[in-house]
Amino acid sequence: MKIFNWKMASFLLTGIGISRLGDFIYLIAINLIVYDMTGSAAAVAGLWIIGPVTSVLTNSWSGGLIDRKNKKSIMIWTDLARAMGVALIPFLGSIGFIYAVLFLISMAKALFMPASATYIAKLVPIESRKRFISINSLVTSGAFIVGPAIAGGLFLIGTIETAIYLNAASFVFSAVIIWVLPDMDKDLKSPTVQTSAYETLRDDWKQVIMFAGREVFIISVYGCFLAFGLFSLAMDSQEVVFIQDVVGLTEADYSFLVSISGIGFALGALFITIVSRMLSIKQLMGYGMLLTAAGYLIYALADSFMLVVMGFTVLGIFNAFSSAGYQTFYQNNVPVEIMGRMISVIGVIQSFAQIILLFGIGVLGDLFPLRYTIVILAVLNLILSLYVCRQLLKPGKQQYFSETTSS
């Protein structure tokens, strides 16, 4: 068994955590800046479209680049690019220029995320991945909870521009921390045969399709998890409308409920971190997905504040279980040599589906009572979770859930 250096892991977690914290501070600040400049809800809504559109345009080619290039360097340079882009925002007087810079920042993030996932798979041995990923989930949920609070505090004691500059500094700090990490691509060899960009892209997609054809079980199980996430995102996009107009709660109630969900996720991730050796990957995946679906169904059928609290608490806690289980399953079963390409190709498909689904639920919300739409999506998630549980219980699939190296 390979001995894992948890000191290096703590550096990586700190770098990724600070980068994520910066994402959440910047998210709050940029929404306020755009709204102050335009007074337009549509202009603010446009901010949420930039991410998926950038993902479609970037992920179609970025996976091959990430697999062939040094992951540590990509993480450092994309952090520095985001720092520079964020620092420029206060000097831009045009909404068009702001959107253009946000597009470049989103592109850098679209490179950073798969590069960091592939780097983790290279740095962290199979035996330690489940615990590492649960700690990483705890870091992410902490950033989700703390980031908006820090942004709010900065707005109180300073200006939005102050928050922006500190946000840019956080990306630089993240890059410095990642710089001290070991280089996991020292022996990475660049291809000697020069091919056109089209041929390279075609070969990348062909490799992903060939892997999907060989490993139908992996793709079917992970695909269900991604579909589950898309249905959940569709429900989340209508959360504020559902809670206020359907359940009849207030804006303050909504803010409290979002915090409850974030705290639940953090508690779930903390619990997994403590007892990770007692929980198998199958248990994290099966129980996590099934109980997250149950939480969404409670929320969809809720007609009181307490029922919504119960639903948000359940889905928050067990979403951490599901996330840790599926990330570990993915990293243990997808060859690290094509992991960047897999993440990117999946990202393109996911972003297309996300745009269509978000548009579709908006239309359905105008045609039918929102309660019906949310209940249907919650039931679809429950069906997906039951199907996955059935798949996990199939005999002869134990090799996909092994937590030790084969050698």
Side-chain angles (χ1 to χ4, degrees):
M1 183 186 291
K2 180 181 174 182
I3 298 173
F4 181 44
N5 187 338
W6 278 100
K7 181 180 178 181
M8 285 295 102
S10 66
F11 277 116
L12 177 57
L13 287 165
T14 302
I16 292 174
I18 291 172
S19 184
R20 298 266 173 84
L21 188 66
D23 283 337
F24 285 112
I25 295 173
Y26 144 83
L27 181 66
I28 302 293
I30 197 63
N31 273 273
L32 290 172
I33 286 175
V34 169
Y35 190 68
D36 284 346
M37 284 181 66
T38 64
S40 166
V44 175
L47 297 173
W48 295 84
I49 299 173
I50 291 174
V53 170
T54 306
S55 180
V56 169
L57 296 175
T58 305
N59 286 342
S60 58
W61 54 264
S62 63
L65 173 72
I66 290 163
D67 286 336
R68 294 181 180 92
K69 301 297 182 181
N70 189 290
K71 262 63 77 178
K72 176 181 169 181
S73 296
I74 291 173
M75 291 163 69
I76 291 170
W77 285 110
T78 51
D79 257 345
L80 292 176
R82 285 191 284 176
M84 187 179 298
V86 169
L88 280 174
I89 288 172
F91 299 100
L92 303 174
S94 161
I95 191 68
F97 283 132
I98 288 179
Y99 278 165
V101 170
L102 292 180
F103 177 81
L104 295 176
I105 293 170
S106 294
M107 184 178 289
K109 184 179 178 181
L111 288 167
F112 180 90
M113 298 305 286
S116 64
T118 309
Y119 184 87
I120 288 169
K122 283 176 167 279
L123 178 71
V124 184
I126 287 176
E127 297 85 358
S128 304
R129 279 182 194 159
K130 186 170 62 180
R131 185 158 185 259
F132 179 91
I133 289 170
S134 63
I135 296 172
N136 191 30
S137 296
L138 181 61
V139 169
T140 302
S141 58
F144 171 75
I145 296 167
V146 175
I150 291 176
L154 289 171
F155 299 155
L156 287 174
I157 63 175
T159 62
I160 294 176
E161 286 74 17
T162 304
I164 288 285
Y165 294 139
L166 286 174
N167 182 199
S170 74
F171 286 124
V172 174
F173 189 46
S174 170
V176 171
I177 290 175
I178 292 170
W179 179 69
V180 306
L181 293 170
D183 187 351
M184 304 304 296
D185 293 314
K186 285 181 181 177
D187 301 324
L188 190 67
K189 295 179 181 178
S190 298
T192 53
V193 179
Q194 296 295 320
T195 58
S196 68
Y198 168 75
E199 289 173 326
T200 301
L201 185 61
R202 184 187 62 189
D203 182 61
D204 290 343
W205 278 71
K206 183 189 285 187
Q207 287 194 47
V208 171
I209 293 167
M210 286 173 62
F211 175 80
R214 284 195 315 270
E215 300 290 354
V216 176
F217 179 78
I218 296 171
I219 298 302
S220 65
V221 170
Y222 194 69
C224 286
F225 170 69
L226 296 177
F228 187 98
L230 285 171
F231 293 147
S232 300
L233 176 67
M235 285 187 277
D236 293 344
S237 71
Q238 298 296 311
E239 235 172 40
V240 63
V241 180
F242 182 82
I243 286 172
Q244 292 188 52
D245 293 353
V246 178
V247 185
L249 304 179
T250 65
E251 288 183 5
D253 292 332
Y254 171 67
S255 178
F256 174 76
L257 290 165
V258 171
S259 298
I260 284 287
S261 179
I263 292 167
F265 189 95
L267 290 174
L270 179 61
F271 180 77
I272 300 166
T273 302
I274 295 169
V275 300
S276 60
R277 292 183 181 179
M278 298 169 60
L279 294 169
S280 69
I281 296 173
K282 274 189 181 182
Q283 288 173 324
L284 288 173
M285 293 169 68
Y287 292 137
M289 198 174 191
L290 186 61
L291 290 169
T292 302
Y296 271 112
L297 191 58
I298 293 168
Y299 155 71
L301 297 171
D303 58 1
S304 68
F305 178 76
M306 287 309 299
L307 277 176
V308 178
V309 168
M310 186 187 303
F312 271 49
T313 303
V314 171
L315 73 88
I317 291 172
F318 290 101
N319 194 23
F321 280 60
S322 177
S323 178
Y326 281 92
Q327 285 184 58
T328 308
F329 173 79
Y330 178 85
Q331 291 193 0
N332 287 1
N333 288 291
V334 176
V336 72
E337 296 81 15
I338 65 164
M339 192 172 286
R341 275 163 277 194
M342 281 292 297
I343 294 172
S344 294
V345 170
I346 288 170
V348 171
I349 298 167
Q350 199 173 6
S351 296
F352 267 122
Q354 185 178 335
I355 293 167
I356 294 167
L357 194 60
L358 289 175
F359 178 76
I361 195 173
V363 172
L364 288 173
D366 288 338
L367 297 176
F368 305 101
L370 185 57
R371 170 83 73 180
Y372 295 165
T373 306
I374 299 298
V375 169
I376 288 169
L377 289 169
V379 170
L380 287 173
N381 266 354
L382 185 61
I383 292 169
L384 278 174
S385 65
L386 290 170
Y387 171 76
V388 166
C389 288
R390 182 171 174 270
Q391 292 290 95
L392 298 181
L393 293 173
K394 278 186 175 180
K397 305 295 183 183
Q398 189 53 41
Q399 72 269 25
Y400 294 107
F401 306 97
S402 173
E403 295 183 56
T404 57
T405 52
S406 56
S407 57

